[in-house]
Coordinates of all heavy atoms in Angstrom, one line a residue:
V16 N -2.0 -12.6 -1.4 CA -0.6 -12.4 -1.4 C -0.3 -11.3 -0.4 O -0.8 -10.2 -0.5 CB -0.2 -12.0 -2.8 CG1 1.3 -11.7 -2.8 CG2 -0.5 -13.1 -3.8
Y17 N 0.5 -11.6 0.5 CA 0.9 -10.6 1.5 C 2.2 -9.9 1.2 O 3.1 -10.5 0.5 CB 1.0 -11.2 2.9 CG -0.4 -11.5 3.4 CD1 -0.9 -12.8 3.3 CD2 -1.2 -10.6 4.0 CE1 -2.2 -13.1 3.8 CE2 -2.5 -10.9 4.4 CZ -2.9 -12.2 4.3 OH -4.2 -12.5 4.8
S18 N 2.4 -8.7 1.7 CA 3.7 -8.0 1.5 C 4.8 -8.7 2.2 O 4.6 -9.3 3.3 CB 3.6 -6.6 2.0 OG 2.6 -5.9 1.3
K19 N 5.9 -8.8 1.6 CA 7.1 -9.5 2.2 C 8.3 -8.5 2.2 O 8.7 -8.0 1.1 CB 7.4 -10.7 1.3 CG 8.4 -11.6 1.9 CD 8.6 -12.9 1.1 CE 9.5 -13.8 1.8 NZ 9.7 -15.0 1.0
P20 N 8.9 -8.2 3.3 CA 10.0 -7.3 3.4 C 11.2 -7.8 2.6 O 11.4 -9.0 2.5 CB 10.3 -7.2 4.9 CG 9.1 -7.8 5.6 CD 8.5 -8.7 4.6
I21 N 11.9 -6.9 1.9 CA 13.1 -7.2 1.2 C 14.2 -7.2 2.2 O 14.4 -6.2 3.0 CB 13.3 -6.2 0.1 CG1 12.2 -6.3 -1.0 CG2 14.7 -6.4 -0.5 CD1 12.3 -5.3 -2.0
P22 N 15.1 -8.2 2.3 CA 16.3 -8.1 3.2 C 17.1 -6.9 2.8 O 17.3 -6.6 1.7 CB 17.0 -9.4 2.9 CG 16.0 -10.3 2.1 CD 15.0 -9.4 1.5
L23 N 17.7 -6.3 3.8 CA 18.5 -5.1 3.6 C 20.0 -5.4 3.6 O 20.8 -4.6 4.0 CB 18.2 -4.1 4.7 CG 16.8 -3.5 4.7 CD1 16.6 -2.5 5.9 CD2 16.5 -2.8 3.4
T24 N 20.3 -6.6 3.0 CA 21.7 -6.9 2.9 C 22.4 -6.3 1.7 O 23.6 -6.1 1.7 CB 21.9 -8.5 2.8 OG1 21.1 -8.9 1.7 CG2 21.4 -9.2 4.0
N25 N 21.6 -5.8 0.7 CA 22.1 -5.2 -0.4 C 22.0 -3.6 -0.3 O 20.9 -3.1 -0.3 CB 21.4 -5.6 -1.7 CG 22.0 -5.0 -3.0 OD1 22.7 -4.1 -2.9 ND2 21.6 -5.6 -4.1
P26 N 23.1 -2.9 0.0 CA 23.0 -1.5 0.2 C 22.3 -0.7 -0.9 O 21.7 0.4 -0.6 CB 24.4 -1.0 0.4 CG 25.2 -2.2 0.5 CD 24.4 -3.4 0.0
S27 N 22.4 -1.1 -2.1 CA 21.8 -0.4 -3.2 C 20.3 -0.5 -3.2 O 19.6 0.3 -3.9 CB 22.3 -0.9 -4.6 OG 21.8 -2.2 -4.8
K28 N 19.7 -1.3 -2.4 CA 18.2 -1.5 -2.3 C 17.7 -1.1 -1.0 O 16.6 -1.4 -0.6 CB 17.8 -2.9 -2.7 CG 18.1 -3.3 -4.1 CD 17.6 -4.6 -4.4 CE 17.9 -5.0 -5.9 NZ 17.3 -6.2 -6.3
R29 N 18.4 -0.3 -0.2 CA 17.9 0.1 1.1 C 16.7 1.0 1.0 O 15.9 1.1 2.0 CB 19.0 0.8 1.9 CG 20.1 -0.1 2.4 CD 21.0 0.6 3.4 NE 22.1 -0.2 3.7 CZ 22.1 -1.1 4.7 NH1 21.0 -1.2 5.4 NH2 23.1 -1.8 4.9
H30 N 16.5 1.7 -0.1 CA 15.3 2.5 -0.2 C 14.0 1.7 -0.5 O 12.9 2.2 -0.3 CB 15.5 3.6 -1.3 CG 15.6 2.9 -2.7 ND1 16.7 2.3 -3.1 CD2 14.7 2.8 -3.7 CE1 16.5 1.9 -4.3 NE2 15.3 2.2 -4.7
L31 N 14.2 0.5 -0.8 CA 13.0 -0.4 -1.1 C 12.6 -1.1 0.2 O 13.3 -1.7 0.9 CB 13.3 -1.5 -2.1 CG 13.7 -1.0 -3.5 CD1 14.2 -2.1 -4.4 CD2 12.6 -0.2 -4.2
L32 N 11.3 -0.9 0.5 CA 10.8 -1.5 1.8 C 10.0 -2.7 1.6 O 9.9 -3.6 2.5 CB 10.0 -0.4 2.6 CG 10.8 0.8 3.0 CD1 9.8 1.8 3.7 CD2 11.9 0.4 3.9
W33 N 9.3 -2.8 0.5 CA 8.3 -3.9 0.3 C 8.5 -4.5 -1.1 O 8.8 -3.9 -2.1 CB 6.9 -3.5 0.5 CG 6.7 -2.9 1.8 CD1 6.6 -1.6 2.1 CD2 6.4 -3.6 3.0 NE1 6.4 -1.4 3.5 CE2 6.3 -2.7 4.0 CE3 6.3 -5.0 3.3 CZ2 6.1 -3.0 5.4 CZ3 6.1 -5.3 4.6 CH2 6.0 -4.3 5.6
A34 N 8.4 -5.9 -1.2 CA 8.5 -6.6 -2.4 C 7.3 -6.4 -3.3 O 7.3 -6.5 -4.5 CB 8.8 -8.0 -2.2
V35 N 6.1 -6.2 -2.7 CA 4.9 -6.0 -3.4 C 4.2 -4.8 -2.8 O 4.5 -4.4 -1.7 CB 3.9 -7.3 -3.3 CG1 4.5 -8.5 -4.0 CG2 3.6 -7.6 -1.9
A36 N 3.2 -4.3 -3.5 CA 2.5 -3.1 -3.1 C 1.7 -3.3 -1.8 O 1.1 -4.4 -1.6 CB 1.6 -2.6 -4.2
L37 N 1.6 -2.3 -1.0 CA 0.8 -2.2 0.2 C -0.7 -2.2 -0.3 O -1.0 -1.4 -1.2 CB 1.1 -1.0 1.0 CG 0.4 -0.8 2.3 CD1 0.9 -1.9 3.3 CD2 0.7 0.6 2.9
R38 N -1.5 -3.0 0.3 CA -2.9 -3.1 -0.1 C -3.7 -2.2 0.9 O -3.7 -2.5 2.1 CB -3.4 -4.5 -0.1 CG -2.7 -5.4 -1.2 CD -2.9 -6.8 -1.0 NE -4.3 -7.2 -1.2 CZ -4.8 -7.5 -2.4 NH1 -4.0 -7.5 -3.5 NH2 -6.1 -7.8 -2.6
V39 N -4.4 -1.2 0.4 CA -5.2 -0.3 1.2 C -6.6 -0.3 0.8 O -7.0 -0.2 -0.4 CB -4.6 1.1 1.1 CG1 -5.5 2.1 1.8 CG2 -3.2 1.2 1.5
L40 N -7.5 -0.4 1.8 CA -9.0 -0.3 1.6 C -9.4 1.0 2.2 O -9.1 1.3 3.4 CB -9.7 -1.5 2.2 CG -11.2 -1.4 2.1 CD1 -11.7 -1.5 0.7 CD2 -11.8 -2.6 2.9
L41 N -10.1 1.8 1.4 CA -10.6 3.1 1.9 C -12.1 3.1 1.8 O -12.7 2.9 0.8 CB -10.1 4.2 1.0 CG -10.7 5.6 1.2 CD1 -10.4 6.1 2.6 CD2 -10.2 6.6 0.2
A42 N -12.7 3.3 3.0 CA -14.2 3.3 3.1 C -14.6 4.7 3.5 O -14.3 5.2 4.6 CB -14.7 2.3 4.1
D43 N -15.3 5.4 2.5 CA -15.8 6.8 2.8 C -17.0 7.1 1.9 O -17.0 6.6 0.8 CB -14.6 7.8 2.5 CG -14.9 9.1 3.2 OD1 -15.9 9.8 2.9 OD2 -14.1 9.5 4.0
N44 N -17.9 7.8 2.4 CA -19.1 8.1 1.6 C -18.9 9.2 0.6 O -19.6 9.4 -0.4 CB -20.3 8.5 2.5 CG -20.9 7.3 3.2 OD1 -20.8 6.2 2.7 ND2 -21.4 7.5 4.4
S45 N -17.8 10.0 0.8 CA -17.5 11.1 0.0 C -16.7 10.7 -1.2 O -15.5 10.2 -1.1 CB -16.8 12.2 0.8 OG -16.3 13.2 -0.1
E46 N -17.2 10.9 -2.4 CA -16.5 10.6 -3.6 C -15.2 11.4 -3.7 O -14.2 11.0 -4.2 CB -17.4 10.8 -4.9 CG -16.7 10.6 -6.2 CD -16.2 9.2 -6.4 OE1 -16.9 8.2 -6.0 OE2 -15.1 9.0 -7.1
S47 N -15.3 12.7 -3.3 CA -14.1 13.6 -3.4 C -13.0 13.1 -2.5 O -11.8 13.2 -2.8 CB -14.5 15.0 -3.2 OG -15.1 15.2 -1.9
I48 N -13.4 12.7 -1.3 CA -12.3 12.2 -0.3 C -11.7 10.9 -0.9 O -10.4 10.8 -0.9 CB -12.9 11.8 1.0 CG1 -13.5 13.1 1.7 CG2 -12.0 11.1 1.9 CD1 -12.4 14.1 2.1
R49 N -12.5 10.0 -1.5 CA -11.9 8.8 -2.1 C -11.0 9.2 -3.2 O -9.9 8.6 -3.4 CB -13.0 7.9 -2.5 CG -13.8 7.3 -1.4 CD -14.7 6.1 -1.8 NE -15.6 6.4 -2.9 CZ -16.9 6.8 -2.8 NH1 -17.4 7.0 -1.6 NH2 -17.6 7.0 -3.9
R50 N -11.3 10.2 -4.0 CA -10.5 10.6 -5.2 C -9.2 11.2 -4.7 O -8.1 11.0 -5.3 CB -11.3 11.5 -6.1 CG -10.6 12.0 -7.3 CD -10.5 10.8 -8.3 NE -9.8 11.3 -9.5 CZ -8.8 10.6 -10.1 NH1 -8.5 9.4 -9.7 NH2 -8.2 11.1 -11.1
V51 N -9.3 12.1 -3.7 CA -8.1 12.7 -3.2 C -7.1 11.7 -2.6 O -5.9 11.8 -2.9 CB -8.5 13.8 -2.1 CG1 -7.2 14.2 -1.3 CG2 -9.2 15.0 -2.7
M52 N -7.6 10.8 -1.9 CA -6.8 9.7 -1.3 C -6.1 8.9 -2.5 O -4.9 8.5 -2.4 CB -7.5 8.8 -0.4 CG -7.9 9.4 0.9 SD -6.5 9.7 2.0 CE -6.1 8.1 2.5
Q53 N -6.9 8.6 -3.5 CA -6.4 7.8 -4.6 C -5.2 8.6 -5.3 O -4.2 8.1 -5.6 CB -7.5 7.6 -5.6 CG -7.1 6.8 -6.8 CD -8.2 6.5 -7.8 OE1 -9.2 7.2 -7.8 NE2 -8.0 5.5 -8.6
L54 N -5.5 9.9 -5.5 CA -4.4 10.7 -6.1 C -3.2 10.8 -5.3 O -2.0 10.8 -5.7 CB -5.0 12.1 -6.4 CG -6.0 12.2 -7.6 CD1 -6.6 13.6 -7.6 CD2 -5.4 11.8 -8.9
G55 N -3.4 10.9 -3.9 CA -2.3 11.0 -3.0 C -1.4 9.8 -2.9 O -0.2 9.8 -2.6
L56 N -2.1 8.6 -3.1 CA -1.3 7.3 -2.9 C -0.8 6.7 -4.2 O 0.0 5.8 -4.2 CB -2.3 6.3 -2.2 CG -2.6 6.7 -0.8 CD1 -3.7 5.7 -0.3 CD2 -1.4 6.7 0.1
Q57 N -1.3 7.2 -5.3 CA -0.9 6.6 -6.6 C 0.6 6.6 -6.9 O 1.1 5.7 -7.5 CB -1.7 7.2 -7.8 CG -1.3 8.6 -8.2 CD -2.2 9.1 -9.2 OE1 -3.2 8.5 -9.7 NE2 -1.9 10.3 -9.7
D58 N 1.3 7.6 -6.5 CA 2.7 7.7 -6.7 C 3.6 6.8 -5.9 O 4.8 6.6 -6.1 CB 3.2 9.1 -6.5 CG 2.7 10.1 -7.5 OD1 2.3 9.6 -8.6 OD2 2.7 11.3 -7.2
F59 N 2.9 6.1 -4.9 CA 3.7 5.2 -4.0 C 3.4 3.7 -4.3 O 3.9 2.9 -3.6 CB 3.2 5.5 -2.5 CG 3.6 6.9 -2.1 CD1 2.7 7.9 -2.1 CD2 4.9 7.1 -1.7 CE1 3.0 9.1 -1.7 CE2 5.3 8.4 -1.3 CZ 4.3 9.4 -1.3
G60 N 2.8 3.5 -5.4 CA 2.6 2.1 -5.8 C 1.6 1.3 -5.0 O 1.7 0.1 -4.9
V61 N 0.7 2.0 -4.3 CA -0.2 1.4 -3.4 C -1.4 0.8 -4.2 O -1.9 1.4 -5.1 CB -0.8 2.4 -2.4 CG1 -1.9 1.8 -1.6 CG2 0.3 2.9 -1.5
Q62 N -1.8 -0.5 -3.8 CA -3.0 -1.0 -4.4 C -4.1 -0.5 -3.6 O -4.3 -0.9 -2.4 CB -3.0 -2.6 -4.3 CG -2.2 -3.2 -5.4 CD -2.3 -4.7 -5.3 OE1 -1.8 -5.3 -4.4 NE2 -3.1 -5.3 -6.2
L63 N -5.0 0.3 -4.2 CA -6.1 1.0 -3.4 C -7.4 0.5 -3.9 O -7.7 0.5 -5.1 CB -6.0 2.5 -3.6 CG -7.0 3.3 -2.9 CD1 -6.9 3.2 -1.4 CD2 -6.9 4.8 -3.3
K64 N -8.3 0.1 -3.0 CA -9.6 -0.2 -3.3 C -10.5 0.7 -2.5 O -10.3 0.9 -1.3 CB -10.0 -1.6 -3.0 CG -11.4 -2.0 -3.3 CD -11.7 -3.5 -3.1 CE -13.1 -3.8 -3.4 NZ -13.3 -4.5 -4.6
T65 N -11.5 1.4 -3.2 CA -12.4 2.3 -2.5 C -13.8 1.8 -2.5 O -14.2 1.2 -3.5 CB -12.3 3.7 -3.1 OG1 -12.7 3.7 -4.4 CG2 -10.9 4.3 -3.0
V66 N -14.5 2.0 -1.4 CA -15.9 1.6 -1.3 C -16.6 2.7 -0.4 O -16.0 3.4 0.3 CB -16.1 0.2 -0.6 CG1 -15.5 -0.9 -1.5 CG2 -15.5 0.2 0.8
Q67 N -17.9 2.7 -0.6 CA -18.8 3.6 0.3 C -18.9 2.9 1.6 O -18.9 1.6 1.7 CB -20.1 3.9 -0.4 CG -20.0 4.8 -1.6 CD -21.4 5.3 -2.0 OE1 -22.4 4.8 -1.5 NE2 -21.4 6.2 -2.9
M68 N -19.2 3.7 2.6 CA -19.5 3.1 3.9 C -20.8 2.3 3.8 O -21.7 2.6 3.1 CB -19.7 4.2 5.0 CG -18.4 4.9 5.3 SD -17.2 3.9 6.1 CE -18.0 3.5 7.7
G69 N -20.8 1.2 4.6 CA -22.0 0.3 4.6 C -21.6 -1.1 4.6 O -20.4 -1.5 4.9
P70 N -22.5 -2.0 4.2 CA -22.2 -3.4 4.2 C -21.1 -3.9 3.2 O -20.5 -4.9 3.4 CB -23.6 -4.1 3.8 CG -24.5 -3.0 3.4 CD -23.9 -1.7 3.8
D71 N -20.8 -3.0 2.2 CA -19.8 -3.4 1.3 C -18.4 -3.4 1.9 O -17.5 -4.0 1.4 CB -19.8 -2.5 0.1 CG -21.0 -2.6 -0.8 OD1 -21.7 -3.7 -0.7 OD2 -21.3 -1.7 -1.6
V72 N -18.2 -2.7 3.0 CA -16.9 -2.6 3.6 C -16.4 -4.0 4.1 O -15.3 -4.4 3.7 CB -16.9 -1.6 4.8 CG1 -15.6 -1.6 5.5 CG2 -17.3 -0.2 4.3
M73 N -17.2 -4.7 4.8 CA -16.8 -6.0 5.3 C -16.5 -7.0 4.2 O -15.5 -7.7 4.2 CB -17.8 -6.5 6.3 CG -17.4 -7.8 6.9 SD -15.8 -7.8 7.9 CE -16.4 -7.2 9.4
A74 N -17.5 -7.0 3.2 CA -17.3 -7.9 2.1 C -16.0 -7.6 1.3 O -15.3 -8.5 0.9 CB -18.5 -7.9 1.2
S75 N -15.8 -6.3 1.1 CA -14.6 -5.9 0.4 C -13.3 -6.2 1.1 O -12.3 -6.6 0.5 CB -14.6 -4.4 0.1 OG -15.7 -4.1 -0.8
A76 N -13.3 -6.1 2.5 CA -12.2 -6.4 3.3 C -11.9 -7.9 3.2 O -10.7 -8.3 3.1 CB -12.4 -5.9 4.7
L77 N -12.9 -8.7 3.3 CA -12.7 -10.1 3.2 C -12.2 -10.6 1.9 O -11.3 -11.5 1.8 CB -14.0 -10.9 3.6 CG -14.4 -10.7 5.0 CD1 -15.8 -11.3 5.2 CD2 -13.4 -11.3 6.0
E78 N -12.6 -10.0 0.8 CA -12.2 -10.3 -0.6 C -10.9 -9.8 -0.9 O -10.0 -10.5 -1.4 CB -13.3 -9.8 -1.5 CG -12.9 -10.1 -3.0 CD -13.9 -9.4 -3.9 OE1 -15.1 -9.4 -3.6 OE2 -13.4 -8.9 -5.0
F79 N -10.6 -8.5 -0.6 CA -9.4 -7.8 -1.0 C -8.2 -8.1 -0.1 O -7.1 -8.0 -0.5 CB -9.7 -6.3 -1.0 CG -8.6 -5.4 -1.5 CD1 -8.1 -5.5 -2.8 CD2 -8.1 -4.4 -0.7 CE1 -7.1 -4.7 -3.3 CE2 -7.1 -3.6 -1.2 CZ -6.6 -3.7 -2.5
K80 N -8.5 -8.4 1.2 CA -7.5 -8.7 2.2 C -6.4 -7.6 2.3 O -5.2 -7.8 2.0 CB -6.8 -10.0 1.9 CG -7.7 -11.2 2.0 CD -7.0 -12.5 1.7 CE -7.9 -13.7 1.9 NZ -9.2 -13.7 1.5
P81 N -6.9 -6.4 2.7 CA -6.0 -5.2 2.7 C -5.0 -5.3 3.9 O -5.2 -6.0 4.9 CB -6.9 -4.1 2.9 CG -8.1 -4.6 3.6 CD -8.2 -6.0 3.1
D82 N -3.9 -4.6 3.7 CA -2.9 -4.5 4.8 C -3.4 -3.5 5.8 O -3.0 -3.5 7.0 CB -1.5 -4.1 4.3 CG -1.0 -5.2 3.3 OD1 -0.9 -6.4 3.8 OD2 -0.6 -4.9 2.2
I83 N -4.1 -2.5 5.3 CA -4.6 -1.4 6.2 C -6.0 -1.0 5.6 O -6.2 -1.0 4.4 CB -3.6 -0.2 6.3 CG1 -4.0 0.8 7.3 CG2 -3.4 0.4 4.9 CD1 -2.9 1.8 7.7
I84 N -6.8 -0.5 6.6 CA -8.1 0.0 6.2 C -8.3 1.4 6.8 O -8.1 1.6 8.0 CB -9.3 -0.9 6.7 CG1 -9.1 -2.4 6.2 CG2 -10.7 -0.4 6.4 CD1 -10.1 -3.3 6.8
F85 N -8.7 2.3 5.9 CA -9.0 3.7 6.4 C -10.6 3.8 6.3 O -11.2 3.6 5.3 CB -8.5 4.8 5.4 CG -7.0 4.9 5.5 CD1 -6.1 4.5 4.5 CD2 -6.4 5.4 6.7 CE1 -4.8 4.6 4.6 CE2 -5.0 5.5 6.8 CZ -4.2 5.1 5.7
I86 N -11.2 4.1 7.4 CA -12.6 4.2 7.5 C -13.0 5.5 8.0 O -12.5 6.1 9.0 CB -13.2 3.1 8.5 CG1 -12.9 1.7 8.0 CG2 -14.7 3.2 8.7 CD1 -13.3 0.6 8.9
D87 N -14.0 6.1 7.3 CA -14.6 7.4 7.7 C -15.2 7.3 9.1 O -15.9 6.5 9.4 CB -15.6 7.9 6.7 CG -16.2 9.2 7.0 OD1 -15.7 9.9 7.9 OD2 -17.2 9.6 6.3

C-alpha cells in the first residue's frame, strides 16, 4: 500500500499531507540510534521498521516496501 496524497480542495484539511502513514526503514547497528529515531518519529504517525546493518536490510526493504530508507 503506497501513500496517496489527499486533494487540497477542502481548506479544513490543508494540514493533512498523506492519507496513510509514511513507511520508513532505518538500518543502523546502534540500538540507541534506532531508539532515538523511533522516539523522534512516533508523534508523526510514521510506520517505522528498524534493522541492523547487514543482509537483513535488503530483505526488509523488499518485504516492507518503505517510502524512504535511512542507512548508517
Side-chain angles (χ1 to χ4, degrees):
V16 178
Y17 289 97
S18 300
K19 187 174 185 180
I21 294 174
L23 295 178
T24 54
N25 185 344
S27 68
K28 294 187 179 182
R29 286 191 187 272
H30 66 282
L31 299 175
L32 297 178
W33 301 98
V35 295
L37 185 68
R38 298 169 65 89
V39 176
L40 177 63
L41 170 64
D43 198 299
N44 286 333
S45 170
E46 175 65 34
S47 59
I48 295 293
R49 292 192 309 264
R50 182 70 179 138
V51 166
M52 288 291 287
Q53 181 180 19
L54 291 171
L56 294 173
Q57 70 184 4
D58 291 339
F59 296 99
V61 171
Q62 279 186 287
L63 179 66
K64 180 175 178 108
T65 62
V66 295
Q67 288 191 354
M68 289 296 295
D71 292 342
V72 175
M73 184 59 83
S75 294
L77 292 172
E78 177 187 323
F79 186 60
K80 295 182 178 36
D82 297 305
I83 190 167
I84 301 173
F85 290 108
I86 298 178
D87 180 13

